[in-house]
Amino acid sequence: MSTYRVAQVAAAGGPFEVVEREVPQPGPGHVRVAVEACGICHSDAFFVNAGLPGVTFPVVPGHEIAGRVEELGEGVRERGWQVGDRVAVGWFGGSCGHCTPCRQGDFVVCQNLKVPGWAYDGGFAEAVIAPADALSRIPDALAATDAGPMACAGVTTFHGLRRSSARPGDLVAVLGIGGLGHLGVQYAAAMGFETVAIARGGEKAGLAKQLGAHHYVDSTADTSVADALQSLGGARVVLATAGNAEAITATVDGLSHRGELVVIGASPDPMGISPVQLIMGGRVVRGHPSGTAQDVQDTMAFSALHGIRPMVETVPLDQAGEAYQKMLSGAARFRMVLTTR
């Protein structure tokens, strides 16, 4: 039987190793995807380090997958998929269909969400078996290396903004210009928001403007982030992409009345927000999780239409360990993407 390669971690916190396995066959309702590219997300550390319950080893991470359908399982052709279709699979790697959120149509918060790299082997590999309901069609205009990151980083920022209370012309701030934030700034500007980029250091102002921001706030300056936002009229929405609870907290008083803080940057630390900060201005704080396969497809279509692309550094699968460490160090600019071809 033919084989394929995966980059796996054999034990919690261990090194990556590239090994060969027998090519698996997709079961009913599943497809085998020939992976062309897979982005490396900071959330992959949850699985590599067994930071979430139910992680089993060896683990193959990767939930920013782009490739082509290679083989169909029973019942998939009837859903409109064919061999050769270009597809992406993201954090939303399928849902159970029977829990209360699923029965309410809110599939991305499925209580049994099938995240690649957690529920099944992820995309740090030459092939992956995925449920058909996890598939998103990639537009012709997008390369696989662009599409992969949009299945997690892209959809999380795009969908977080479009589900927010902001409307064209409103002041919207994006906290952080990293793997998530550099896409968030582009989406905010393309959606017609008066866009503020917030990051550490004055040297990032040029990049912020290049991405489409109308204003830049240096979070290390003498003027606080909240005061800087209020001087612009107050932010209708702050999209917090930085995984730093203290930095997220510092934006709250920069919200306008009825302003909304949308948190997508993951951090285990508590935020220091008082009830008074929320009550007096009628402000809202909410977390936002990724998006469904349709949301990923919408993200890619919007990106193709507006010329929005992630900034990526491509690395061959053999160097998965080095690429993962570069992501962890914060040196990636801005998305590390593994390629198999």
Side-chain angles (χ1 to χ4, degrees):
M1 179 177 287
S2 59
T3 62
Y4 73 111
R5 298 180 304 150
V6 306
Q8 67 178 28
V9 173
F16 277 87
E17 56 181 357
V18 176
V19 301
E20 290 196 359
R21 297 182 179 179
E22 291 186 351
V23 174
Q25 301 304 306
H30 288 67
V31 302
R32 186 172 71 240
V33 176
V35 178
E36 296 174 354
C38 185
I40 301 177
C41 179
H42 204 279
S43 298
D44 288 320
F46 289 140
F47 312 126
V48 171
N49 297 319
L52 291 172
V55 176
T56 58
F57 291 89
V59 67
V60 180
H63 56 267
E64 292 187 342
I65 304 164
R68 294 181 183 271
V69 175
E70 192 172 50
E71 187 167 349
L72 305 175
E74 181 184 347
V76 175
R77 189 179 301 277
E78 291 79 359
R79 303 187 193 184
W81 297 105
Q82 298 181 7
V83 171
D85 284 346
R86 300 183 70 223
V87 295
V89 180
W91 178 267
F92 179 85
S95 56
C96 71
H98 59 75
C99 69
T100 298
C102 283
R103 287 168 60 86
Q104 293 174 340
D106 200 357
F107 301 106
V108 77
V109 288
C110 170
Q111 294 171 354
N112 306 290
L113 189 66
K114 302 171 185 176
V115 181
W118 189 6
Y120 53 87
D121 287 342
F124 288 18
E126 292 176 330
V128 65
I129 301 290
D133 66 327
L135 304 178
S136 306
R137 295 189 186 276
I138 300 175
D140 292 340
L142 293 185
T145 50
D146 294 328
M150 287 181 180
C152 180
V155 69
T156 303
T157 50
F158 172 79
H159 195 45
L161 286 168
R162 75 170 177 175
R163 289 198 62 191
S164 76
S165 57
R167 295 297 176 262
D170 285 345
L171 190 76
V172 170
V174 178
L175 173 64
I177 312 180
L180 292 167
H182 88 285
L183 285 166
V185 171
Q186 293 181 75
Y187 289 132
M191 289 177 181
F193 304 138
E194 184 179 353
T195 304
V196 185
I198 307 169
R200 293 178 58 85
E203 70 279 0
K204 295 179 182 176
L207 171 63
K209 296 296 177 66
Q210 177 188 334
L211 294 170
H214 303 96
H215 311 279
Y216 178 73
V217 173
D218 176 5
S219 62
T220 65
D222 293 337
T223 303
S224 72
V225 169
D227 286 345
L229 291 177
Q230 289 298 342
S231 73
L232 295 169
R236 178 67 178 178
V237 167
V238 171
L239 182 71
T241 74
N244 183 307
E246 184 178 351
I248 295 171
T249 300
T251 68
V252 175
D253 285 334
L255 291 169
S256 66
H257 63 283
R258 303 291 180 186
E260 182 181 17
L261 173 61
V262 181
V263 181
I264 62 176
S267 170
D269 301 320
M271 295 185 295
I273 302 172
S274 74
V276 172
Q277 287 177 284
L278 304 180
I279 293 169
M280 297 304 290
R283 294 161 172 159
V284 174
V285 179
R286 69 176 178 87
H288 173 75
S290 190
T292 64
Q294 183 61 54
D295 296 325
V296 173
Q297 195 161 309
D298 292 347
T299 300
M300 292 190 291
F302 186 90
S303 302
L305 182 64
H306 290 275
I308 295 171
R309 301 291 187 273
M311 295 181 179
V312 303
E313 180 179 342
T314 59
V315 177
L317 181 65
D318 289 339
Q319 297 175 25
E322 294 91 327
Y324 174 78
Q325 291 300 326
K326 187 169 184 177
M327 177 279 297
L328 282 183
S329 73
R333 290 293 180 268
F334 285 95
R335 217 64 177 170
M336 304 300 298
V337 177
L338 299 177
T339 59
T340 60
R341 290 164 174 78

